Amino acid sequence: MSFPNSVTIDSINPKVLQCEYAVRGAIVNQAQKLQEEIKENPGSHPFDEILYCNIGNPQSLGQQPITFFREVLALCDHPVILDKSETQGLFSADSIERAWQILDQMPGRATGAYSHSQGVKCLRDAVAAGIAARDGFPADPNDIFLTDGASPAVHMMMQLLISSEKDGVLCPIPQYPLYSASIALHGGSLVPYYLDEATGWGLEVSELKKQLEDAKSKGITVRSLVVINPGNPTGQVLAEENQRAIVEFCKKENLVLLADEVYQENVYVEDKSFHSFKKVARSMGYGEKDISLVSFQSVSKGYHGECGKRGGYMEVTGFSPEVREQIYKVASVNLCSNISGQILASLVMNPPKVGDESFESYSAEKNGILSSLARRAKALEDAFNNLEGVTCNKAEGAMYLFPRIHLSQKAIKAAETAKTAPDAFYAKRLLEATGIVVVPGSGFGQVPGTWHIRCTILPQEEKIPAIITRLTDFHQAFMAEFRD
């Protein structure tokens, strides 16, 4: 079939061509084809379902939404039922009260109306109050920009900070490919800093300094540092002392600290806890005039997993009024983020409190999800470490494991023949044999010569043993086939 040649692959924006996003890449496209084949022709493959372990999408794998959040959303979206007597028996008293509080502050009491470009003021008030309660330091609602998940907020900041390919952004390797994709789309340079796999994906300030100097020698002006904590795809949780050193580094080098904190509720080890970078900076005595800091949060992760609702925020501190005006202008071009996501962001940062009718059921749902995620993380971590030639660091937090796979020369040669990266070759074979979808480590970046896969911990807990069996059987067969 021939198409008009008004747009060709050679005439489109080269920045789009450079942009890659592995968690929805070639392996996932193949998985979707296999899913169609299973549906049309049951028994056509050695498995009866595709298990998507490629993306942090909890509800697609059976996680149930938090009841209180959905009750408030339902009441806000259809306020007619607030006045009906039977509503009292169907909804908790505190969800009804919260819905009234929110609607009273919304233009026209309508979730279908545009809001202020930073988000509905009362919802930003709630987010700021939640941040202050979490950190023990004040937060200003005017610093909050409610966004359609964390991703648009990241794009907004990249758009602001990058003016040419001479502008660099320090990014962890491995990294979540939103960052490399966003930097490519906005025409900047990704300046990699490597996390140390041998020390549980440690972040060394000496490595940041080395990469900063290397970038400078190439004529690149590094504008900002991205830190993902807890880590994606690596699952590490930074120690507070380490965070202080990172803040000090950013202050000294005059870098904007972009803190991706979307997994802040996902911490699974007792000896670690989450500390926001804003809390760390303020506890060091650094305020607005000392360091530029942007923190990202999302309703897609945590224990809520409301990915499809597209809610999140960025807290923007340490920028001059003139620059803030420009950030607001960019937000205004998009009019506003969706109102359901805005409401959810306010609820995530201000959930039911002790004494509220929903508190006990909310706490049980939240703790049930997080404790199950911790068990799943441990079971999969142990399974990977029991495989020949595979080493896997502990998932201290987030929703992923990033095991290293030591591949034979024979497997690497077979991948070369198939014109694919060795870890992509492994992931493709795993999918074809088991229906398990993982992402090759090459989609996230890794030390050259090492190979990894990223696997989520999200399949339902009762499915984990079957996944481990399938994975183990496949790996043994793969290693036998490609033994040197």
Side-chain angles (χ1 to χ4, degrees):
M1 190 190 294
S2 63
F3 294 96
N5 64 359
S6 50
V7 180
T8 68
I9 202 76
D10 297 319
S11 70
I12 64 172
N13 187 340
K15 293 169 188 169
V16 173
L17 293 175
Q18 286 167 11
C19 166
E20 292 182 0
Y21 189 65
V23 297
R24 294 200 176 194
I27 299 281
V28 182
N29 292 340
Q30 189 188 358
Q32 286 162 346
K33 282 181 193 159
L34 291 176
Q35 190 167 10
E36 286 300 312
E37 288 170 18
I38 292 168
K39 192 176 170 184
E40 288 167 17
N41 187 6
S44 57
H45 292 281
F47 42 86
D48 56 9
E49 68 174 327
I50 300 293
L51 289 159
Y52 288 96
C53 298
N54 61 300
I55 194 165
N57 194 11
Q59 292 186 24
S60 74
L61 294 169
Q63 182 174 306
Q64 293 305 298
I66 299 295
T67 304
F68 175 79
F69 294 170
R70 286 301 182 90
E71 286 191 356
V72 176
L73 276 181
L75 292 164
C76 287
D77 272 339
H78 196 45
V80 173
I81 60 176
L82 278 166
D83 292 322
K84 296 194 182 296
S85 56
E86 56 266 42
T87 301
Q88 309 289 333
L90 292 170
F91 292 82
S92 63
D94 52 334
S95 67
I96 293 170
E97 186 186 352
R98 188 74 71 95
W100 275 121
Q101 285 172 1
I102 290 169
L103 288 169
D104 279 344
Q105 300 288 321
M106 291 183 72
R109 288 188 171 176
T111 59
Y114 289 135
S115 75
H116 184 284
S117 294
Q118 283 182 237
V120 176
K121 174 65 165 58
C122 75
L123 302 179
R124 286 185 284 127
D125 288 341
V127 168
I131 293 169
R134 180 195 67 192
D135 292 347
F137 292 95
D140 184 345
N142 294 318
D143 292 341
I144 308 297
F145 287 74
L146 297 175
T147 54
D148 289 327
S151 301
V154 169
H155 278 293
M156 220 185 290
M157 291 314 301
M158 293 303 178
Q159 205 168 10
L160 184 87
L161 294 169
I162 295 168
S163 56
S164 78
E165 70 279 358
K166 292 294 182 190
D167 287 325
V169 178
L170 271 163
C171 263
I173 297 295
Q175 52 101 29
Y176 176 49
L178 163 67
Y179 291 97
S180 52
S182 185
I183 292 164
L185 280 173
H186 297 294
S189 293
L190 187 150
V191 179
Y193 66 88
Y194 288 93
L195 301 174
D196 184 4
E197 188 168 9
T199 60
W201 301 112
L203 196 171
E204 299 294 333
V205 171
S206 57
E207 168 71 2
L208 297 178
K209 288 176 180 165
K210 180 180 149 211
Q211 299 299 346
L212 179 72
E213 292 309 315
D214 186 51
K216 279 183 187 170
S217 73
K218 294 173 181 165
I220 293 169
T221 304
V222 177
R223 308 291 304 280
S224 61
L225 166 69
V226 172
V227 181
I228 307 173
N229 178 49
N232 174 9
T234 44
Q236 85 285 13
V237 178
L238 294 179
E240 198 172 357
E241 187 183 345
N242 197 188
Q243 290 181 265
R244 283 196 289 270
I246 293 162
V247 168
E248 203 64 70
F249 171 77
C250 287
K251 183 179 182 298
K252 181 170 176 283
E253 301 296 344
N254 201 26
L255 302 179
V256 177
L257 175 51
L258 300 176
D260 180 331
E261 299 176 336
V262 304
Y263 296 100
Q264 58 191 259
E265 287 107 349
N266 301 97
V267 178
Y268 309 124
V269 288
E270 287 183 6
D271 59 333
K272 292 275 185 85
S273 52
F274 169 79
H275 303 282
S276 77
F277 268 101
K278 179 164 169 254
K279 174 187 170 185
V280 170
R282 296 295 179 264
S283 68
M284 294 168 73
Y286 294 145
E288 288 271 353
K289 301 244 166 84
D290 301 301
I291 184 167
S292 299
L293 169 62
V294 184
S295 311
F296 304 103
Q297 167 65 317
S298 170
V299 306
S300 303
K301 310 303 176 186
Y303 54 90
H304 14 90
E306 292 279 14
C307 303
K309 296 296 182 187
R310 307 311 298 130
Y313 70 78
M314 61 178 180
E315 185 185 16
V316 177
T317 58
F319 290 84
S320 71
E322 296 81 10
V323 172
R324 285 289 296 273
E325 213 172 287
Q326 299 306 310
I327 300 172
Y328 178 73
K329 181 174 73 179
V330 172
S332 300
V333 171
N334 295 319
L335 293 172
C336 68
S337 60
N338 84 86
I339 302 298
S340 293
Q342 291 190 28
I343 292 169
L344 264 172
S346 78
L347 299 176
V348 162
M349 296 308 287
N350 254 299
K353 307 281 190 293
V354 177
D356 293 344
E357 187 186 321
S358 296
F359 179 74
E360 284 190 19
S361 62
Y362 159 77
S363 296
E365 289 173 22
K366 173 186 174 180
N367 295 335
I369 290 167
L370 290 174
S371 58
S372 173
L373 285 170
R375 290 191 297 271
R376 286 178 258 175
K378 183 76 175 81
L380 285 165
E381 172 202 322
D382 289 346
F384 278 119
N385 280 319
N386 284 331
L387 299 179
E388 178 192 352
V390 177
T391 51
C392 184
N393 279 327
K394 183 179 287 202
E396 296 177 336
M399 295 178 170
Y400 316 98
L401 293 160
F402 199 64
R404 180 176 175 183
I405 301 171
H406 299 262
L407 295 170
S408 66
Q409 284 306 308
K410 190 175 176 184
I412 291 168
K413 287 264 181 0
E416 281 172 13
T417 305
K419 294 186 170 52
T420 186
D423 48 9
F425 178 75
Y426 180 92
K428 185 170 183 284
R429 293 285 294 254
L430 174 66
L431 169 62
E432 290 165 349
T434 67
I436 298 169
V437 189
V438 297
V439 189
S442 41
F444 300 87
Q446 55 199 341
V447 171
T450 67
W451 308 108
H452 299 78
I453 56 171
R454 187 186 80 158
C455 177
T456 74
I457 61 170
L458 295 173
Q460 288 165 300
E461 195 165 357
E462 64 269 21
K463 289 187 176 177
I464 297 290
I467 289 172
I468 290 170
T469 302
R470 283 194 213 179
L471 175 69
T472 304
D473 291 348
F474 161 78
H475 187 79
Q476 286 170 347
F478 183 93
M479 295 300 276
E481 182 181 348
F482 292 102
R483 205 170 295 288
D484 285 331

